[in-house]
Amino acid sequence: MPILMTEPAAGRFGDFGGRFVPESLVPACDALAVAFRDAWADPAFRAELDDLLAVYAGRPTPLTPARNLSAALGVELLLKREDLAHTGSHKINNVLGQGLLARRTGKRRIIAETGAGQHGVAAATAAALLGLEATIFMGERDIERQQLNVLRMTTLGATVVPVTTGSRTLSDATNEAMRAWVADVDDAHFLLGSVGGPHPYPWMVRELQRVIGDEARRQAPYVPDVVVACVGGGSNAAGTFAGFEDTTARLVGVEAAGGAAMSCGRPGVVHGSRSMVLQDPDGQVAEATSIAAGLDYPGIGPEHAFLGSAGRAEYHSVKDDEVIAAVRRLARAEGIICALESAHAVAWVLREAGGPLLPTGSRVVLTLSGRGDKDMATLGETA
């Protein structure tokens, strides 16, 4: 059976995954796993989610041929347009599912973490729609560089809590969100945005994001040679890969060079699961850096670590200057301004097209996970 079709036993993906949390959170994680398993098997829950995805989130998102870049690069490039989903990124798929689950389990409020702000905006949106309170933890440094998304979250009624510890980015925001969940576990649902954290989150978020890959596979006129997506924690990549894992397509995840957990990390525990993690010589979690706030994260989802170790997926990295160049090249060739996160996948294609990793004539599906409005100030600073 394909790897990405199943619920992992005890939340383990080979040597990765599992649940490394305070004892006080174990019952909550157990209950969440049961609740999601029941909901996912309930036709009424699936029908309500499918309806919201269609009439509220705007699915299916199109698969757009990048004709000008394809002609220039010598590869056939199709773009899965998650940037056109409501709130401007793939994050809406996950939050609608988890929001419905929170309401189904009687939770009154959600707690979330965010880096680039896209997950925070999506979480605030789902909370407003479903009548839940929302508290969003965000690193102080990310608040400074993602002001537009902070304003969107507060306009939607969410409380944004600045995190001033550590590197003041996504990793620290996740720490604080988990602490808040521990303190209010009976009343709050922790709406994690990526395929990390303790079981059942990696499995649950992948299942809620697999709509990306399933749609793309139906929309593509052929099985592509390569499927590409950016990877921080890796939710959009996990969802995309899920649609193609049982095909002959190569699965390629592209990390930030300063946050390349697969290339530069080693096995360790971060935020409740065992995965590939950037670490210092003493085994402490090391600081990641990236021009993209959403990829400024020291680990990667445990299922990605497993797919990489099993040889089913490959992971590469690109540098910040390649990312900036990719945003501009895509914008000027196709009229699409993508998020800095998504531009990592574009940069890899631009760099490798015509080479041994992406030979001329390759047929490529690439997920644009989000739109670039939020990154205009950063782009302006690099002009």
Side-chain angles (χ1 to χ4, degrees):
M1 178 175 289
I3 298 168
L4 295 177
M5 294 297 288
T6 58
E7 176 186 350
R12 304 289 299 195
F13 304 94
D15 293 334
F16 303 102
R19 183 184 292 163
F20 298 84
V21 295
E23 190 173 342
S24 58
L25 279 183
V26 171
C29 290
D30 284 338
L32 182 59
V34 171
F36 179 67
R37 192 179 302 121
D38 290 346
W40 208 230
D42 181 350
F45 180 87
R46 298 289 289 267
E48 185 173 12
L49 176 58
D50 289 346
D51 181 66
L52 283 180
L53 290 173
V55 304
Y56 187 75
R59 305 209 71 87
T61 59
L63 190 67
T64 303
R67 295 192 173 93
N68 297 323
L69 272 184
S70 296
L73 298 173
V75 300
E76 190 166 331
L77 180 59
L78 300 172
L79 303 174
K80 182 57 176 165
R81 301 292 306 280
E82 294 302 292
D83 58 312
L84 295 181
H86 180 45
T87 71
S89 80
H90 72 291
K91 297 293 188 182
I92 193 71
N93 309 319
N94 174 45
V95 301
L96 288 176
Q98 288 200 51
L100 289 176
L101 188 64
R103 194 177 67 180
R104 180 184 172 105
T105 54
K107 304 298 183 183
R108 184 181 60 83
R109 73 184 186 109
I110 61 167
I111 293 168
E113 84 301 338
T114 194
Q118 296 294 70
H119 174 57
V121 169
T125 298
L129 177 70
L130 300 174
L132 302 167
E133 295 179 19
T135 303
I136 314 293
F137 290 84
M138 188 171 189
E140 191 175 53
R141 181 165 172 253
D142 290 337
I143 287 176
E144 293 168 0
R145 55 181 173 172
Q146 299 293 345
Q147 279 292 310
L148 175 60
N149 276 341
V150 174
L151 181 58
R152 293 170 76 193
M153 284 182 260
T154 56
T155 301
L156 287 160
T159 300
V160 178
V161 180
V163 175
T164 59
T165 55
S167 61
R168 299 175 293 132
T169 58
L170 176 59
S171 179
D172 308 292
T174 305
N175 288 335
E176 293 304 318
M178 293 191 75
R179 290 190 185 101
W181 187 34
V182 170
D184 191 19
V185 70
D186 291 332
D187 198 36
H189 171 77
F190 180 28
L191 206 170
L192 186 59
S194 196
V195 286
H199 178 64
Y201 283 101
W203 160 58
M204 179 170 63
V205 177
R206 177 248 286 167
E207 286 300 282
L208 292 171
Q209 291 291 5
R210 71 161 48 247
V211 65
I212 304 171
D214 288 345
E215 275 183 11
R217 184 169 177 180
R218 289 195 300 271
Q219 293 166 322
Y222 42 69
V223 174
D225 300 302
V226 182
V227 175
V228 190
C230 67
V231 177
S235 64
N236 92 91
T240 305
F241 292 175
F244 295 93
E245 191 270 338
D246 62 339
T247 73
T248 56
R250 287 168 51 211
L251 308 179
V252 176
V254 185
E255 301 179 290
M262 288 298 289
S263 303
C264 304
R266 60 182 191 274
V269 173
V270 65
H271 296 139
S273 66
R274 188 172 190 271
S275 188
M276 297 295 288
V277 182
L278 296 178
Q279 299 171 59
D280 67 19
D282 296 324
Q284 299 297 313
V285 176
E287 183 176 337
T289 60
S290 171
I291 195 169
L295 303 189
D296 203 348
Y297 187 70
I300 189 170
E303 193 162 25
H304 285 295
F306 173 66
L307 291 173
S309 67
R312 181 60 190 96
E314 55 194 273
Y315 296 85
H316 304 281
S317 63
V318 297
K319 298 177 181 177
D320 286 351
D321 58 347
E322 296 176 279
V323 172
I324 293 293
V327 171
R328 296 199 170 108
R329 179 93 182 263
L330 179 67
R332 293 168 188 178
E334 304 292 344
I336 298 170
I337 301 175
C338 71
L340 289 170
E341 289 77 12
S342 310
H344 284 67
V346 179
W348 182 82
V349 170
L350 294 178
R351 186 180 72 193
E352 303 299 343
L357 292 181
L358 192 58
T360 298
S362 297
R363 298 178 298 187
V364 180
V365 168
L366 184 154
T367 296
L368 289 183
S369 58
R371 69 187 186 209
D373 312 37
K374 65 185 179 58
D375 297 319
M376 287 300 98
T378 301
L379 283 171
E381 293 169 0
T382 63

